[in-house]
Amino acid sequence: MDAYLLSESSMFVWPHKLILKTCGTTTLLSGLPRILEIAALFAGFPRATAPSSRGITVAAAPYRVFYSRKNFLFPDRQRGPHRSWRDEVRSMDKLFVNGSAYMIGKMNGEHWYLYLTEPGTMLTPPASPKEEIEFPETETKVLSFPEAAPRTDCDEHDETLELLMTDLDEDNAKQFYLENATAVAEKRHRDADKDDHLDVFSNTSDMDEETGGILPPELTTEGHALGTVVSESCGLSDVYPKSKFPDARIDAYLFTPCGFSANGVVPAPDGKAPTHYFTVHVTPEPQCSYASFETNVPHSQNGKATADIIQQVVDIFKPGRFSITLFETKPAIDEMDEVNGVHDQQHAQRHALRRSNKMEQVDGYRRVDRIVHDLNGYDLVFRYYERNDWKGGHRVLEKRASSETHS
């Protein structure tokens, strides 16, 4: 797996799949046609006639597509096709046949959107030169328990945990500012033996530990050096520690004057399972504070319960409120526990329930919402939490008013 860290985005590329996570006002869906074209022209995937889009004539039909996002903090600042969920769904329907759109959570509160296609996705046929094809609008389902679709086999266990956090504690968020991180780095430099400690301000000639060569300039800037300081001081480096994952690596960057992004590459300790990832993006300004954490490291590998990972991440960022989505493939029959030589499905269900119940409790927070979805080949659990001393929307309204005043 190759991991790319961009200013507001992260991209992870495997031989068979791609994950692109963006923030801010990036127009992610506008890149989909070009991505499908690249897959056909340069990555060796089977070519198909592309849907009508910006002069692209060839594309690869993906096996499956997932698109998700939280409800926007400032929807009026987005650009097309991200001005509304309806526009986003229409944009994807123009590319893919039989997509399904879901809204998960309260319509008048915190919620999460998901669009996914069926296994073996088909591309939407291009419009006829003589007539414009009208694409039927995909209905967004707002059911708490949509009807389960038949399960399809997946080529690997797929598990994604995502925490989307807002209203970060202001004092705690200062660690993601350049001024604070510089002070931490300078103190470390003063306190450490210079012979045994790296000066983060003079690492432009760092050697690559693996190859012995000189690292490229983009990896030796102050932003990367201070990003490493922040990832260590805030506790992010301890979520998947070197003691458990000796080959794990973190690429972190601290922006000027504030803001933080990090990608983690986490190979399996035994070297037999696929390489996994985690990614973090932080906007610490109080009027729009936000942090996201996402990982696909399976709970069976990390040596910690999923609930422990959640608590550890929440303790790092101290949000006023946050949502959790856990998205994972359904266990196949032959993966379930066997008792006396007979597959015991009930035992597996009880185990999943116990694991789910452990995730309900997050110290210092109350769970406001929990919704379970049974999707085609996947189980999805959405949870929303608020800090025990959270006072609803008053704080948000005060910050937005303050932001407008500064404008």
Side-chain angles (χ1 to χ4, degrees), residues 382-398:
F382 169 87
R383 295 178 176 87
Y384 169 62
Y385 294 79
E386 293 179 353
R387 198 172 55 221
N388 290 334
D389 62 352
W390 177 250
K391 297 181 181 179
H394 298 295
R395 183 180 174 191
V396 176
L397 291 174
E398 290 170 0

mmCIF file of all heavy atoms in Angstrom, residues 382-398:
data_model
loop_
_atom_site.group_PDB
_atom_site.id
_atom_site.type_symbol
_atom_site.label_atom_id
_atom_site.label_comp_id
_atom_site.label_asym_id
_atom_site.label_seq_id
_atom_site.Cartn_x
_atom_site.Cartn_y
_atom_site.Cartn_z
ATOM 1 N N PHE A 382 -23.929 3.083 13.615
ATOM 2 C CA PHE A 382 -23.705 4.518 13.766
ATOM 3 C C PHE A 382 -24.053 4.911 15.196
ATOM 4 O O PHE A 382 -25.122 4.568 15.705
ATOM 5 C CB PHE A 382 -24.577 5.297 12.781
ATOM 6 C CG PHE A 382 -24.623 6.788 13.028
ATOM 7 C CD1 PHE A 382 -23.668 7.627 12.477
ATOM 8 C CD2 PHE A 382 -25.634 7.347 13.815
ATOM 9 C CE1 PHE A 382 -23.714 9.003 12.706
ATOM 10 C CE2 PHE A 382 -25.683 8.712 14.038
ATOM 11 C CZ PHE A 382 -24.720 9.544 13.490
ATOM 12 N N ARG A 383 -23.141 5.643 15.859
ATOM 13 C CA ARG A 383 -23.397 6.143 17.211
ATOM 14 C C ARG A 383 -23.033 7.626 17.267
ATOM 15 O O ARG A 383 -22.070 8.052 16.639
ATOM 16 C CB ARG A 383 -22.562 5.385 18.247
ATOM 17 C CG ARG A 383 -22.908 3.911 18.394
ATOM 18 C CD ARG A 383 -21.968 3.262 19.407
ATOM 19 N NE ARG A 383 -22.290 1.880 19.678
ATOM 20 C CZ ARG A 383 -21.852 0.840 18.969
ATOM 21 N NH1 ARG A 383 -21.051 1.054 17.924
ATOM 22 N NH2 ARG A 383 -22.189 -0.389 19.275
ATOM 23 N N TYR A 384 -23.803 8.349 18.070
ATOM 24 C CA TYR A 384 -23.530 9.780 18.258
ATOM 25 C C TYR A 384 -23.473 10.081 19.751
ATOM 26 O O TYR A 384 -24.328 9.632 20.517
ATOM 27 C CB TYR A 384 -24.617 10.623 17.583
ATOM 28 C CG TYR A 384 -24.566 12.086 17.953
ATOM 29 C CD1 TYR A 384 -23.447 12.873 17.648
ATOM 30 C CD2 TYR A 384 -25.622 12.681 18.640
ATOM 31 C CE1 TYR A 384 -23.397 14.211 18.000
ATOM 32 C CE2 TYR A 384 -25.581 14.026 18.996
ATOM 33 C CZ TYR A 384 -24.468 14.776 18.679
ATOM 34 O OH TYR A 384 -24.412 16.099 19.038
ATOM 35 N N TYR A 385 -22.431 10.843 20.168
ATOM 36 C CA TYR A 385 -22.186 11.124 21.579
ATOM 37 C C TYR A 385 -22.047 12.620 21.814
ATOM 38 O O TYR A 385 -21.603 13.367 20.938
ATOM 39 C CB TYR A 385 -20.881 10.459 22.045
ATOM 40 C CG TYR A 385 -20.896 8.950 22.051
ATOM 41 C CD1 TYR A 385 -20.720 8.231 20.872
ATOM 42 C CD2 TYR A 385 -21.069 8.236 23.231
ATOM 43 C CE1 TYR A 385 -20.725 6.850 20.870
ATOM 44 C CE2 TYR A 385 -21.074 6.850 23.243
ATOM 45 C CZ TYR A 385 -20.898 6.164 22.060
ATOM 46 O OH TYR A 385 -20.906 4.792 22.062
ATOM 47 N N GLU A 386 -22.412 13.041 23.022
ATOM 48 C CA GLU A 386 -22.172 14.407 23.471
ATOM 49 C C GLU A 386 -21.491 14.369 24.830
ATOM 50 O O GLU A 386 -21.773 13.480 25.647
ATOM 51 C CB GLU A 386 -23.491 15.184 23.566
ATOM 52 C CG GLU A 386 -24.150 15.430 22.219
ATOM 53 C CD GLU A 386 -25.472 16.169 22.334
ATOM 54 O OE1 GLU A 386 -25.931 16.368 23.491
ATOM 55 O OE2 GLU A 386 -26.035 16.548 21.297
ATOM 56 N N ARG A 387 -20.590 15.319 25.065
ATOM 57 C CA ARG A 387 -19.914 15.391 26.354
ATOM 58 C C ARG A 387 -20.938 15.682 27.455
ATOM 59 O O ARG A 387 -21.927 16.380 27.230
ATOM 60 C CB ARG A 387 -18.841 16.480 26.316
ATOM 61 C CG ARG A 387 -17.789 16.362 27.423
ATOM 62 C CD ARG A 387 -16.653 17.344 27.201
ATOM 63 N NE ARG A 387 -17.159 18.708 27.086
ATOM 64 C CZ ARG A 387 -16.700 19.587 26.203
ATOM 65 N NH1 ARG A 387 -15.757 19.259 25.347
ATOM 66 N NH2 ARG A 387 -17.204 20.806 26.166
ATOM 67 N N ASN A 388 -20.687 15.152 28.650
ATOM 68 C CA ASN A 388 -21.656 15.265 29.736
ATOM 69 C C ASN A 388 -21.992 16.711 30.069
ATOM 70 O O ASN A 388 -23.116 17.010 30.494
ATOM 71 C CB ASN A 388 -21.124 14.553 30.984
ATOM 72 C CG ASN A 388 -21.112 13.043 30.807
ATOM 73 O OD1 ASN A 388 -21.882 12.492 30.022
ATOM 74 N ND2 ASN A 388 -20.249 12.359 31.533
ATOM 75 N N ASP A 389 -21.031 17.637 29.885
ATOM 76 C CA ASP A 389 -21.300 19.047 30.183
ATOM 77 C C ASP A 389 -21.666 19.849 28.937
ATOM 78 O O ASP A 389 -21.697 21.074 28.972
ATOM 79 C CB ASP A 389 -20.085 19.690 30.868
ATOM 80 C CG ASP A 389 -18.842 19.684 29.964
ATOM 81 O OD1 ASP A 389 -18.889 19.060 28.881
ATOM 82 O OD2 ASP A 389 -17.826 20.290 30.357
ATOM 83 N N TRP A 390 -21.957 19.155 27.839
ATOM 84 C CA TRP A 390 -22.295 19.842 26.593
ATOM 85 C C TRP A 390 -23.643 20.538 26.737
ATOM 86 O O TRP A 390 -24.607 19.970 27.241
ATOM 87 C CB TRP A 390 -22.332 18.840 25.443
ATOM 88 C CG TRP A 390 -22.736 19.419 24.127
ATOM 89 C CD1 TRP A 390 -23.899 19.206 23.441
ATOM 90 C CD2 TRP A 390 -21.968 20.322 23.337
ATOM 91 N NE1 TRP A 390 -23.899 19.919 22.272
ATOM 92 C CE2 TRP A 390 -22.736 20.611 22.189
ATOM 93 C CE3 TRP A 390 -20.728 20.920 23.496
ATOM 94 C CZ2 TRP A 390 -22.285 21.473 21.196
ATOM 95 C CZ3 TRP A 390 -20.281 21.774 22.507
ATOM 96 C CH2 TRP A 390 -21.051 22.039 21.371
ATOM 97 N N LYS A 391 -23.749 21.771 26.272
ATOM 98 C CA LYS A 391 -24.955 22.585 26.443
ATOM 99 C C LYS A 391 -25.701 22.789 25.131
ATOM 100 O O LYS A 391 -26.309 23.835 24.917
ATOM 101 C CB LYS A 391 -24.584 23.937 27.049
ATOM 102 C CG LYS A 391 -23.972 23.826 28.435
ATOM 103 C CD LYS A 391 -23.632 25.194 29.001
ATOM 104 C CE LYS A 391 -23.007 25.074 30.386
ATOM 105 N NZ LYS A 391 -22.657 26.412 30.945
ATOM 106 N N GLY A 392 -25.645 21.827 24.284
ATOM 107 C CA GLY A 392 -26.406 21.917 23.045
ATOM 108 C C GLY A 392 -25.798 22.866 22.050
ATOM 109 O O GLY A 392 -24.579 23.033 21.983
ATOM 110 N N GLY A 393 -26.634 23.547 21.286
ATOM 111 C CA GLY A 393 -26.136 24.372 20.201
ATOM 112 C C GLY A 393 -25.716 25.767 20.575
ATOM 113 O O GLY A 393 -25.264 26.524 19.723
ATOM 114 N N HIS A 394 -25.839 26.153 21.871
ATOM 115 C CA HIS A 394 -25.528 27.531 22.238
ATOM 116 C C HIS A 394 -24.081 27.881 21.927
ATOM 117 O O HIS A 394 -23.772 28.926 21.397
ATOM 118 C CB HIS A 394 -25.807 27.746 23.732
ATOM 119 C CG HIS A 394 -27.238 27.533 24.089
ATOM 120 N ND1 HIS A 394 -28.245 28.341 23.612
ATOM 121 C CD2 HIS A 394 -27.846 26.598 24.860
ATOM 122 C CE1 HIS A 394 -29.405 27.922 24.081
ATOM 123 N NE2 HIS A 394 -29.196 26.863 24.834
ATOM 124 N N ARG A 395 -23.187 26.962 22.259
ATOM 125 C CA ARG A 395 -21.772 27.231 22.040
ATOM 126 C C ARG A 395 -21.474 27.390 20.560
ATOM 127 O O ARG A 395 -20.717 28.257 20.150
ATOM 128 C CB ARG A 395 -20.943 26.086 22.649
ATOM 129 C CG ARG A 395 -19.443 26.285 22.557
ATOM 130 C CD ARG A 395 -18.766 25.098 23.193
ATOM 131 N NE ARG A 395 -17.335 25.140 23.024
ATOM 132 C CZ ARG A 395 -16.539 24.124 23.298
ATOM 133 N NH1 ARG A 395 -17.033 23.009 23.766
ATOM 134 N NH2 ARG A 395 -15.238 24.224 23.120
ATOM 135 N N VAL A 396 -22.097 26.560 19.743
ATOM 136 C CA VAL A 396 -21.874 26.635 18.302
ATOM 137 C C VAL A 396 -22.384 27.963 17.760
ATOM 138 O O VAL A 396 -21.727 28.624 16.966
ATOM 139 C CB VAL A 396 -22.582 25.457 17.594
ATOM 140 C CG1 VAL A 396 -22.430 25.588 16.095
ATOM 141 C CG2 VAL A 396 -22.004 24.133 18.077
ATOM 142 N N LEU A 397 -23.574 28.397 18.215
ATOM 143 C CA LEU A 397 -24.139 29.643 17.733
ATOM 144 C C LEU A 397 -23.272 30.829 18.121
ATOM 145 O O LEU A 397 -23.064 31.747 17.342
ATOM 146 C CB LEU A 397 -25.555 29.822 18.309
ATOM 147 C CG LEU A 397 -26.616 28.853 17.773
ATOM 148 C CD1 LEU A 397 -27.926 29.047 18.527
ATOM 149 C CD2 LEU A 397 -26.832 29.056 16.284
ATOM 150 N N GLU A 398 -22.717 30.785 19.334
ATOM 151 C CA GLU A 398 -21.842 31.864 19.768
ATOM 152 C C GLU A 398 -20.604 31.937 18.893
ATOM 153 O O GLU A 398 -20.166 33.013 18.494
ATOM 154 C CB GLU A 398 -21.445 31.656 21.228
ATOM 155 C CG GLU A 398 -22.612 31.881 22.204
ATOM 156 C CD GLU A 398 -22.253 31.440 23.605
ATOM 157 O OE1 GLU A 398 -21.113 30.970 23.784
ATOM 158 O OE2 GLU A 398 -23.095 31.546 24.504
#
